[in-house]
Amino acid sequence: MHIHGLIEDSVTLAELCKRLAKSDFITVDTEFMRENSYWPELCLIQVANDKEAAAIDPMAPNLDMGPLLELMVNNEDVLKVFHAGGQDIEIVYNLTGKTPHPMFDTQVAAMALGQGEQIGYSNLVDTYLGIVVDKGARFTDWARRPLDKRQIDYAIADVTHLSAIFPKMLEKLRKSGRGVWLDQEMERISDPENYRNDPDQVWQRVRINSRKPEVLGRLKALARWRELEAQGKDLPRGRIVKDETLADIAANPPRKQADLAKVRGLSAAWAGNDIGGRMMAAIAESKPMPADEMPGREERKPSLGKDGALVADLLKLLLKIRAKEVNVAPRLLARSEDLEALASGVRKDLPILEGWRYEQFGRDALALVEGQLGFAVRNGKLKMTRTEDPA
């Protein structure tokens, strides 16, 4: 494989992208910094196919990233391969408003091949290539220039290893017939809605015990205010106000700005500064949350009750057994919320009752809750047994 090193000029990047556009797949990784900012600061992009690899410096003066971004989001003929690519995809989305497509995530694929739910990159490389990854440059300051050769070599190795691993995984998936199992997961990961930060929806990420409409309305207004402050200042949202403080203020709103000096988690200066004033304005303008926006107790998640919770536990046991039998990560077969929904009586719009999940797990799960399947111990081992008649 030809290793180009660091690309810092537009002509070389355009030529590389022209060649990569003829590939069946490219592997992609990024290096970024976000500890001190709201938006991740993109410091490096690494790409490879089966013939060549390069690192691209997005911080280089006057570098035109257009050809690379075009390849990422508009070229449907080239598969983009990541490992645990959520943050890499988020960066591309922030730059373009689109996500890489079509895409393939080797961490997700590993679930279908019985290699755990979140296999790390180093373990993946060791498993498939027998190579021990050099972790020495992992915590480097990628924003500092110039980058030395060890940093660049470390970064490019991520995509060169991945370009050797991907065909091996693909062959295993083809032989096992499990490639189709991943289609839905890959489409879910590449859905742009997963990466859109809507200030009106971020309140849902904040833990709060109250279900009072006026409290949740204040939380929504405060979370929106904080998100816009964080974006405008390019600071992590927790640097503006921490979640627990935001929830506490929503539940116990101060009557006047001077009271902010008494709020745990805020400095006394908020009692008189501009940001404190903007927070008070957000509280004042908040409205009780409408009924149609109130968080579920959703229709899909009716109350289980004690018996339903026991049934859900049995389903989780069945999932563990079945996942071991077919050598697949349990989370790829079913999620806890789907098991709880099935236990509580839901029979529609559940992934485990459709397609390959139904064949591998859902049929038996349904039989269990309907009394046609049970557990038995034989020779010290747990077995599934069919009953003659449904309960």
Short mmCIF file of all heavy atoms in Angstrom, two decimals, residues 271-307:
data_model
loop_
_atom_site.label_atom_id
_atom_site.label_comp_id
_atom_site.label_asym_id
_atom_site.label_seq_id
_atom_site.Cartn_x
_atom_site.Cartn_y
_atom_site.Cartn_z
N ALA A 271 -25.96 36.90 39.67
CA ALA A 271 -27.02 37.73 40.24
C ALA A 271 -27.12 39.09 39.55
O ALA A 271 -28.17 39.75 39.64
CB ALA A 271 -26.79 37.93 41.74
N GLY A 272 -26.04 39.48 38.84
CA GLY A 272 -26.11 40.79 38.22
C GLY A 272 -25.56 40.87 36.80
O GLY A 272 -25.62 41.94 36.18
N ASN A 273 -25.06 39.75 36.27
CA ASN A 273 -24.43 39.85 34.94
C ASN A 273 -25.43 39.57 33.81
O ASN A 273 -26.58 39.18 34.04
CB ASN A 273 -23.19 38.95 34.83
CG ASN A 273 -23.52 37.47 34.99
OD1 ASN A 273 -24.68 37.07 34.90
ND2 ASN A 273 -22.49 36.66 35.22
N ASP A 274 -24.96 39.76 32.56
CA ASP A 274 -25.84 39.63 31.39
C ASP A 274 -26.34 38.20 31.20
O ASP A 274 -27.51 37.99 30.85
CB ASP A 274 -25.12 40.10 30.13
CG ASP A 274 -24.91 41.60 30.11
OD1 ASP A 274 -25.55 42.28 30.93
OD2 ASP A 274 -24.11 42.09 29.29
N ILE A 275 -25.46 37.22 31.42
CA ILE A 275 -25.88 35.83 31.17
C ILE A 275 -26.95 35.43 32.19
O ILE A 275 -27.89 34.71 31.86
CB ILE A 275 -24.66 34.87 31.18
CG1 ILE A 275 -25.07 33.51 30.60
CG2 ILE A 275 -24.08 34.71 32.57
CD1 ILE A 275 -23.90 32.58 30.34
N GLY A 276 -26.81 35.92 33.41
CA GLY A 276 -27.86 35.66 34.39
C GLY A 276 -29.18 36.29 33.98
O GLY A 276 -30.25 35.71 34.17
N GLY A 277 -29.09 37.46 33.39
CA GLY A 277 -30.30 38.12 32.90
C GLY A 277 -30.96 37.36 31.78
O GLY A 277 -32.20 37.26 31.73
N ARG A 278 -30.15 36.81 30.90
CA ARG A 278 -30.71 36.03 29.79
C ARG A 278 -31.35 34.74 30.30
O ARG A 278 -32.36 34.27 29.77
CB ARG A 278 -29.63 35.73 28.74
CG ARG A 278 -29.15 36.98 28.00
CD ARG A 278 -28.33 36.64 26.76
NE ARG A 278 -27.08 35.99 27.05
CZ ARG A 278 -25.93 36.63 27.30
NH1 ARG A 278 -25.92 37.97 27.32
NH2 ARG A 278 -24.81 35.97 27.53
N MET A 279 -30.75 34.14 31.34
CA MET A 279 -31.37 32.95 31.93
C MET A 279 -32.73 33.31 32.54
O MET A 279 -33.72 32.59 32.33
CB MET A 279 -30.47 32.35 33.02
CG MET A 279 -31.16 31.21 33.77
SD MET A 279 -30.26 30.66 35.23
CE MET A 279 -29.19 29.43 34.49
N MET A 280 -32.81 34.41 33.27
CA MET A 280 -34.07 34.82 33.87
C MET A 280 -35.12 35.10 32.80
O MET A 280 -36.31 34.79 32.99
CB MET A 280 -33.86 36.05 34.76
CG MET A 280 -33.02 35.79 36.00
SD MET A 280 -33.69 34.51 37.09
CE MET A 280 -35.26 35.26 37.57
N ALA A 281 -34.69 35.67 31.68
CA ALA A 281 -35.63 35.94 30.58
C ALA A 281 -36.18 34.63 30.02
O ALA A 281 -37.38 34.54 29.69
CB ALA A 281 -34.94 36.74 29.48
N ALA A 282 -35.32 33.61 29.92
CA ALA A 282 -35.76 32.30 29.42
C ALA A 282 -36.80 31.70 30.36
O ALA A 282 -37.81 31.13 29.92
CB ALA A 282 -34.57 31.36 29.27
N ILE A 283 -36.57 31.84 31.67
CA ILE A 283 -37.54 31.33 32.65
C ILE A 283 -38.87 32.08 32.52
O ILE A 283 -39.95 31.48 32.52
CB ILE A 283 -36.98 31.46 34.08
CG1 ILE A 283 -35.76 30.56 34.26
CG2 ILE A 283 -38.05 31.11 35.11
CD1 ILE A 283 -35.01 30.77 35.56
N ALA A 284 -38.77 33.40 32.41
CA ALA A 284 -39.98 34.23 32.35
C ALA A 284 -40.81 33.93 31.10
O ALA A 284 -42.05 33.99 31.14
CB ALA A 284 -39.60 35.71 32.38
N GLU A 285 -40.14 33.59 30.01
CA GLU A 285 -40.85 33.36 28.74
C GLU A 285 -41.32 31.92 28.60
O GLU A 285 -42.02 31.58 27.64
CB GLU A 285 -39.92 33.71 27.57
CG GLU A 285 -39.61 35.21 27.48
CD GLU A 285 -38.45 35.51 26.55
OE1 GLU A 285 -37.98 34.55 25.86
OE2 GLU A 285 -37.99 36.66 26.50
N SER A 286 -40.96 31.05 29.53
CA SER A 286 -41.33 29.63 29.40
C SER A 286 -42.82 29.45 29.60
O SER A 286 -43.49 30.23 30.29
CB SER A 286 -40.56 28.80 30.43
OG SER A 286 -40.99 29.10 31.75
N LYS A 287 -43.33 28.40 28.99
CA LYS A 287 -44.75 28.05 29.11
C LYS A 287 -44.86 26.59 29.51
O LYS A 287 -43.99 25.78 29.19
CB LYS A 287 -45.46 28.27 27.77
CG LYS A 287 -45.44 29.72 27.31
CD LYS A 287 -46.10 29.86 25.94
CE LYS A 287 -46.04 31.31 25.46
NZ LYS A 287 -46.64 31.48 24.12
N PRO A 288 -45.94 26.24 30.22
CA PRO A 288 -46.12 24.81 30.58
C PRO A 288 -46.06 23.94 29.33
O PRO A 288 -46.55 24.32 28.26
CB PRO A 288 -47.51 24.78 31.22
CG PRO A 288 -47.71 26.17 31.74
CD PRO A 288 -47.03 27.07 30.74
N MET A 289 -45.46 22.78 29.47
CA MET A 289 -45.31 21.89 28.33
C MET A 289 -46.67 21.35 27.89
O MET A 289 -47.44 20.84 28.71
CB MET A 289 -44.37 20.73 28.68
CG MET A 289 -44.06 19.81 27.51
SD MET A 289 -42.62 18.78 27.85
CE MET A 289 -41.29 19.99 27.73
N PRO A 290 -46.99 21.45 26.59
CA PRO A 290 -48.26 20.92 26.09
C PRO A 290 -48.34 19.41 26.29
O PRO A 290 -47.31 18.72 26.34
CB PRO A 290 -48.24 21.27 24.59
CG PRO A 290 -47.20 22.33 24.46
CD PRO A 290 -46.20 22.10 25.53
N ALA A 291 -49.55 18.91 26.38
CA ALA A 291 -49.76 17.48 26.65
C ALA A 291 -49.10 16.60 25.60
O ALA A 291 -48.56 15.53 25.90
CB ALA A 291 -51.26 17.19 26.74
N ASP A 292 -49.14 17.05 24.33
CA ASP A 292 -48.59 16.20 23.27
C ASP A 292 -47.05 16.18 23.26
O ASP A 292 -46.45 15.42 22.51
CB ASP A 292 -49.12 16.64 21.90
CG ASP A 292 -48.74 18.08 21.55
OD1 ASP A 292 -48.18 18.79 22.42
OD2 ASP A 292 -49.00 18.49 20.40
N GLU A 293 -46.40 17.02 24.08
CA GLU A 293 -44.94 17.00 24.17
C GLU A 293 -44.45 16.33 25.45
O GLU A 293 -43.26 16.12 25.62
CB GLU A 293 -44.39 18.43 24.13
CG GLU A 293 -44.43 19.09 22.76
CD GLU A 293 -43.68 20.41 22.76
OE1 GLU A 293 -42.56 20.48 23.32
OE2 GLU A 293 -44.21 21.38 22.21
N MET A 294 -45.38 16.02 26.33
CA MET A 294 -44.98 15.41 27.61
C MET A 294 -44.27 14.08 27.36
O MET A 294 -44.68 13.30 26.49
CB MET A 294 -46.21 15.19 28.49
CG MET A 294 -46.82 16.49 29.02
SD MET A 294 -45.79 17.30 30.25
CE MET A 294 -45.97 16.18 31.64
N PRO A 295 -43.20 13.82 28.10
CA PRO A 295 -42.45 12.58 27.88
C PRO A 295 -43.25 11.36 28.28
O PRO A 295 -44.09 11.42 29.18
CB PRO A 295 -41.21 12.75 28.76
CG PRO A 295 -41.63 13.70 29.82
CD PRO A 295 -42.62 14.63 29.18
N GLY A 296 -42.99 10.20 27.57
CA GLY A 296 -43.76 8.98 27.83
C GLY A 296 -43.44 8.44 29.18
O GLY A 296 -42.33 8.52 29.58
N ARG A 297 -44.36 8.07 29.76
CA ARG A 297 -45.11 6.86 29.71
C ARG A 297 -45.75 6.72 28.34
O ARG A 297 -46.91 7.04 28.16
CB ARG A 297 -46.20 6.95 30.77
CG ARG A 297 -45.59 7.20 32.14
CD ARG A 297 -46.63 7.37 33.20
NE ARG A 297 -46.03 7.70 34.47
CZ ARG A 297 -46.38 8.76 35.19
NH1 ARG A 297 -47.29 9.59 34.76
NH2 ARG A 297 -45.78 8.99 36.33
N GLU A 298 -44.94 6.28 27.41
CA GLU A 298 -45.40 6.22 26.04
C GLU A 298 -46.31 5.03 25.83
O GLU A 298 -46.34 4.10 26.61
CB GLU A 298 -44.18 6.12 25.10
CG GLU A 298 -43.21 7.27 25.32
CD GLU A 298 -41.83 6.92 24.84
OE1 GLU A 298 -41.71 6.52 23.66
OE2 GLU A 298 -40.88 7.02 25.61
N GLU A 299 -47.03 5.08 24.72
CA GLU A 299 -47.94 3.98 24.41
C GLU A 299 -47.18 2.67 24.28
O GLU A 299 -47.68 1.61 24.60
CB GLU A 299 -48.69 4.27 23.11
CG GLU A 299 -49.69 5.39 23.27
CD GLU A 299 -50.47 5.61 22.00
OE1 GLU A 299 -50.38 4.74 21.12
OE2 GLU A 299 -51.15 6.62 21.90
N ARG A 300 -45.94 2.77 23.81
CA ARG A 300 -45.15 1.55 23.64
C ARG A 300 -44.65 1.00 24.96
O ARG A 300 -44.17 -0.09 25.05
CB ARG A 300 -43.95 1.83 22.74
CG ARG A 300 -44.10 1.29 21.36
CD ARG A 300 -42.81 1.47 20.60
NE ARG A 300 -41.87 0.44 20.97
CZ ARG A 300 -40.77 0.19 20.29
NH1 ARG A 300 -40.49 0.90 19.24
NH2 ARG A 300 -39.95 -0.75 20.66
N LYS A 301 -44.70 1.85 25.99
CA LYS A 301 -44.16 1.42 27.27
C LYS A 301 -45.20 1.54 28.37
O LYS A 301 -45.04 2.31 29.30
CB LYS A 301 -42.97 2.29 27.63
CG LYS A 301 -41.75 2.09 26.79
CD LYS A 301 -40.65 2.92 27.40
CE LYS A 301 -39.39 2.83 26.59
NZ LYS A 301 -38.34 3.67 27.14
N PRO A 302 -46.31 0.79 28.29
CA PRO A 302 -47.26 0.80 29.39
C PRO A 302 -46.60 0.22 30.63
O PRO A 302 -45.62 -0.49 30.56
CB PRO A 302 -48.40 -0.10 28.89
CG PRO A 302 -47.82 -0.90 27.80
CD PRO A 302 -46.70 -0.11 27.21
N SER A 303 -47.19 0.54 31.79
CA SER A 303 -46.63 0.07 33.05
C SER A 303 -46.59 -1.46 33.06
O SER A 303 -47.58 -2.12 32.78
CB SER A 303 -47.46 0.59 34.22
OG SER A 303 -46.96 0.09 35.42
N LEU A 304 -45.43 -2.00 33.42
CA LEU A 304 -45.27 -3.45 33.40
C LEU A 304 -45.98 -4.11 34.58
O LEU A 304 -46.58 -5.18 34.44
CB LEU A 304 -43.78 -3.80 33.46
CG LEU A 304 -43.00 -3.75 32.15
CD1 LEU A 304 -41.53 -3.94 32.43
CD2 LEU A 304 -43.49 -4.81 31.19
N GLY A 305 -45.91 -3.49 35.73
CA GLY A 305 -46.41 -4.16 36.93
C GLY A 305 -45.44 -5.25 37.36
O GLY A 305 -44.47 -5.56 36.67
N LYS A 306 -45.70 -5.85 38.53
CA LYS A 306 -44.77 -6.85 39.06
C LYS A 306 -44.69 -8.09 38.17
O LYS A 306 -43.61 -8.60 37.88
CB LYS A 306 -45.21 -7.24 40.47
CG LYS A 306 -45.01 -6.14 41.50
CD LYS A 306 -45.39 -6.61 42.90
CE LYS A 306 -45.16 -5.49 43.92
NZ LYS A 306 -45.54 -5.91 45.29
N ASP A 307 -45.85 -8.59 37.72
CA ASP A 307 -45.84 -9.79 36.88
C ASP A 307 -45.17 -9.52 35.54
O ASP A 307 -44.39 -10.34 35.03
CB ASP A 307 -47.27 -10.29 36.66
CG ASP A 307 -47.87 -10.89 37.94
OD1 ASP A 307 -47.08 -11.25 38.83
OD2 ASP A 307 -49.10 -10.99 38.02
#
